[in-house]
Amino acid sequence: MTLPSPDAPLRLGVNIDHVATVRNARGGADPDPARAARLAQQAGADGITLHLREDRRHIVDADLRAVMDAVTLPINLEMAATEEMLSIALAHNPHAVCIVPERREERTTEGGLEVAADTQRLSAFIAPLHAAGARVSLFLAPDEAQIEAARQVGAQVVELHTGSYAEHVAAGDDAARDDELRRLFAAASLAQDLGLEVHAGHGLSFANVGPIAAIPEVVELNIGHFLIGEAIFTGLEAAVREMRRQMALARM
Ligand code: PXP
């Protein structure tokens, strides 16, 4: 396994799920997630992320193939650790698979994956994905025990959940924000020491991306909801370009 270099450039994965949310609100074909993926690629995204949820509330099975055909960028498929999703992943062979917790009643992915209490099942789940050549990432809260467990089950990547950090920023709670940032910095450092590549995402926007982009071990951010919302006002390409600019500023 290659260790990420400390000064590796910070990649941006654009999550296009919510283009499908808008499409599904009306039915039919518009707006088209594959078109969004192409625009994100043109604007300098480093990857396209989609979350195929069990209830297909946004991305549906046909989108996965359509998006893979629309771009040359690496595809990161977010999915729950279920047999159904495993067979879909193996049939499509995405560059990366990010395993996320999923509950039907949640509005978005709440909290990180429980790895430490589920190591046997997750090891067995990850093995065929590795055999098929996928990079496997686990979406985790910045928690030491979960990161150590991620290493144990054979993940190559951890994606740190920045949702709590984003909520504290939105609430204007500086003390809670700083505590969560400390946890994220410590988790990123531990993960890199264990040989894991570090990604981060959830709830990131122009207003809060800076401190996360400044975590030196983080090599990829996955950002969706804010960018698709911003695209309504400025267009997706401008939104992606501005996010890249903010990320670069944080690394200067
Ligand atoms: N990373 C993971 C693993 C996610 O599940 C999500 C949300 O689907 C994101 C990143 C992107 O979060 P947001 O849409 O809030 O930018």
Side-chain angles (χ1 to χ4, degrees):
M1 185 181 306
T2 46
L3 271 178
S5 131
D7 50 7
L10 183 57
R11 301 192 297 262
L12 172 61
V14 174
N15 179 318
I16 52 157
D17 291 348
H18 296 301
V19 178
T21 303
V22 177
R23 175 195 61 196
N24 297 356
R26 183 56 69 92
D30 299 316
D32 175 10
R35 183 175 172 198
R38 267 194 304 275
L39 285 174
Q41 174 166 293
Q42 276 165 32
D46 300 292
I48 301 296
T49 294
L50 2 69
H51 183 177
L52 186 65
R53 292 186 76 103
E54 184 203 2
D55 63 9
R56 310 302 199 266
R57 69 178 68 162
H58 37 58
I59 293 298
V60 298
D61 302 52
D63 291 325
L64 180 54
R65 176 56 60 202
V67 167
M68 290 180 90
D69 289 345
V71 294
T72 54
L73 291 176
I75 300 295
N76 175 33
L77 173 63
E78 296 175 354
M79 61 182 218
T82 64
E83 287 308 312
E84 182 200 18
M85 290 301 153
L86 181 60
S87 55
I88 291 171
L90 294 175
H92 289 79
N93 229 358
H95 166 80
V97 169
C98 180
I99 302 175
V100 302
E102 201 174 290
R103 283 179 298 127
R104 243 169 206 272
E105 65 280 11
E106 70 191 356
R107 201 174 284 176
T108 181
T109 312
E110 289 167 5
L113 195 65
E114 176 50 63
V115 187
D118 204 13
T119 50
Q120 271 196 334
R121 189 180 77 92
L122 283 169
S123 301
F125 190 84
I126 287 171
L129 291 167
H130 276 166
R135 275 179 81 68
V136 177
S137 155
L138 303 182
F139 190 42
L140 301 180
D143 176 285
E144 199 175 306
Q146 300 298 344
I147 289 162
E148 282 166 356
R151 181 77 192 92
Q152 201 185 322
V153 300
Q156 293 126 311
V157 181
V158 289
E159 179 160 330
L160 299 176
H161 196 312
T162 53
S164 295
Y165 157 80
E167 280 170 19
H168 297 318
V169 174
D173 187 341
D174 294 356
R177 176 203 61 197
D178 290 347
D179 278 352
E180 189 63 13
L181 269 177
R182 272 190 283 278
R183 275 192 282 276
L184 287 160
F185 268 85
S189 165
L190 172 66
Q192 181 164 299
D193 287 350
L194 294 174
L196 294 159
E197 184 170 302
V198 187
H199 302 176
H202 206 280
L204 297 178
S205 67
F206 297 154
N208 65 21
V209 74
I212 300 298
I215 300 174
E217 295 84 1
V218 171
V219 297
E220 179 174 309
L221 299 180
N222 282 298
I223 307 181
H225 181 265
F226 174 82
L227 285 175
I228 302 307
E230 191 65 11
I232 294 171
F233 304 109
T234 66
L236 185 57
E237 293 187 77
V240 168
R241 287 208 173 92
E242 175 60 15
M243 186 60 81
R244 292 221 63 119
R245 197 181 70 81
Q246 301 274 346
M247 288 162 55
L249 279 177
R251 289 261 161 146
M252 287 168 89

